[in-house]
Every structure is written in C-alpha cells, then in structure tokens.
Amino acid sequence: MIVTFCGHSQTSNQDNVAGWLDIILPALIEGGANTFYLGGYGDFDRLAAAAVRRQKAVYPHIESILVLPYLNRKFDVSAYDSTTYPPLENVPPRYAITKRNQWMVCESDVVISGVTHSWGGAAKTLDCAGRRGKVIFQFPTTLSLHKQSCVHA
C-alpha cells in the first residue's frame, strides 16, 4: 500500500501534528502500508518525513521516497530511501509542484492530510484526493473544504 502526504508549507501546532502522525503511521503500516511518497517542501512535509523515519526504526521494511518536481534542482535526499520523478518533462516549471502532487495522489492508496484551510495548493491536492476516492486521514478532523480541480499530470 502506498501512502502520501499533503499539507501546507507553514504548519502550526507542529507537536500535535507530529504526535498524531506517530499514532496514524503504525496503524497504517500494520495494515499493509509499506511505501511513503513525500514532497520535501515546507513544515508539514518535514513533519511527515521525520515521522516516517521514526517508524523505520520499528518497521525497517518500509520505504520513504522523495518525489521530485524538478530534475534540474538540488535536493537533500539524505533523509529518504530513494527518489522518483513523475512524468513531468512537458510540464512548465511553475506547474511542476501541482502536477507532482496530483501524481502522488493518483499513485497512492491513502492520503494523510495536514490541510487546515480551503485555499492554496495543499487544499487543491486534498480535494483531488477526495474526488479520486482515496482514503484520507485528516488533521484536524473537523475541516470543511471548497471543491477545487484535479487534473492528471
């Protein structure tokens, strides 16, 4: 099972989010999750990557994969098991992250969300996941979002 994450670049309540991820991830891993797609940008992505690393100490078989939006930029990949690059060769750079996020959702079975407001790229990614019928774990759990568009990469 493949799990991906979506959340804002700035995240408040980071301790609460980290604690919540530490509860959600073991349950998913015990349920068959073994691959985790990570975006590598912003607070929520850093929290998610750190939570996956903590779980690797207990579940060494799981794999953390940094999904790259660009091939011509340097990324610190030391915190991940591997990287992958979706089919974005013909996507203009200004849309690469959005298209990368949509690809991550489409390839995943489960989306773990730290989306807290209804605007921006993370909210659009979460809406995409909902429309595609993905299983979504939401922090906080009381969030109402407006519908946005989701397009294949």
Side-chain angles (χ1 to χ4, degrees), residues 2-152:
I2 299 173
V3 176
T4 196
F5 300 84
C6 74
H8 305 294
S9 61
Q10 295 181 344
T11 301
S12 59
N13 300 322
Q14 290 189 23
D15 290 339
N16 292 340
V17 173
W20 178 75
L21 289 169
D22 287 340
I23 293 168
I24 294 294
L25 291 180
L28 286 170
I29 294 165
E30 292 291 333
N34 56 4
T35 304
F36 295 86
Y37 285 161
L38 297 143
Y41 281 101
D43 292 345
F44 188 78
D45 286 348
R46 279 189 287 282
L47 290 169
V52 172
R53 280 193 306 278
R54 286 191 298 277
Q55 295 308 313
K56 279 191 72 74
V58 179
Y59 305 98
H61 69 281
I62 65 172
E63 184 178 18
S64 65
I65 301 173
L66 176 62
V67 182
L68 302 172
Y70 310 103
L71 286 177
N72 60 350
R73 297 194 186 164
K74 290 199 174 231
F75 293 91
D76 179 5
V77 299
S78 63
Y80 307 92
D81 295 316
S82 63
T83 63
T84 191
Y85 179 72
L88 301 175
E89 296 86 8
N90 297 318
V91 174
R94 70 183 284 186
Y95 300 113
I97 292 175
T98 299
K99 295 296 186 181
R100 185 271 319 259
N101 292 348
Q102 291 169 357
W103 180 89
M104 290 169 64
V105 164
C106 292
E107 295 296 313
S108 298
D109 303 296
V110 173
V111 175
I112 297 177
S113 169
V115 175
T116 58
H117 52 263
S118 62
W119 62 90
K124 289 178 183 178
T125 301
L126 179 59
D127 185 63
C128 175
R131 282 196 327 247
R132 294 207 173 266
K134 303 298 178 171
V135 174
I136 299 170
F137 290 89
Q138 174 65 52
F139 180 92
T141 57
T142 57
L143 177 65
S144 175
L145 296 175
H146 297 97
K147 295 295 178 189
Q148 303 287 336
S149 63
C150 175
V151 181
H152 255 75

